[in-house]
Amino acid sequence: MIREQIEAKLAAAFEPTHLDVTDESYRHNVPAGSESHFKVVMVSDKFVGERFLSRHRSIYSVLSAELAGSVHALALHTYTMKEWEGLQDTVPASPPCRGAGTLA
């Protein structure tokens, strides 16, 4: 459910041409069913002329309630349409979790 909340808020705020929100919690040292780690890939014209830090801050602002709650990590990949076209629709893979993905 949190993934859907994130998608809805980002879609409303940024009107993206591409939005992919992936729950990567299973890759981390969290209880089964946790919704705590997400990867966001978003392409929006609202990012034109904005530096990455500014883009990320605006996303953090929109998702402040989720970040104050159960969302522990948010990997952000934000692009303008021109940047996205240059990537040929590829996004860096998330790094492996340091916790080895199992509970101790």
Side-chain angles (χ1 to χ4, degrees):
M1 294 216 187
I2 293 174
R3 184 185 61 79
E4 290 86 1
Q5 288 175 293
I6 291 171
E7 283 179 348
K9 285 186 171 186
L10 294 178
F14 297 97
E15 302 171 358
T17 55
H18 176 86
L19 176 61
D20 182 33
V21 179
T22 305
D23 183 351
E24 295 187 329
S25 302
Y26 70 93
R27 301 181 67 210
H28 299 274
N29 190 18
V30 297
S34 294
E35 291 183 288
S36 58
H37 294 70
F38 292 89
K39 178 179 182 177
V40 174
V41 179
M42 186 164 42
V43 180
S44 174
D45 287 338
K46 296 204 178 204
F47 295 143
V48 173
E50 296 290 325
R51 295 179 182 206
F52 285 107
L53 182 59
S54 177
R55 297 174 190 186
H56 293 195
R57 284 181 177 158
S58 62
I59 291 170
Y60 296 148
S61 176
V62 169
L63 300 178
S64 61
E66 289 76 12
L67 292 167
S70 65
V71 175
H72 170 74
L74 196 58
L76 299 175
H77 303 277
T78 57
Y79 307 100
T80 64
M81 182 55 80
K82 185 176 180 178
E83 292 166 343
W84 182 246
E85 289 170 352
L87 291 172
Q88 299 177 0
D89 297 337
T90 60
V91 177
S94 296
C97 176
R98 289 182 176 210
T102 59
L103 288 175

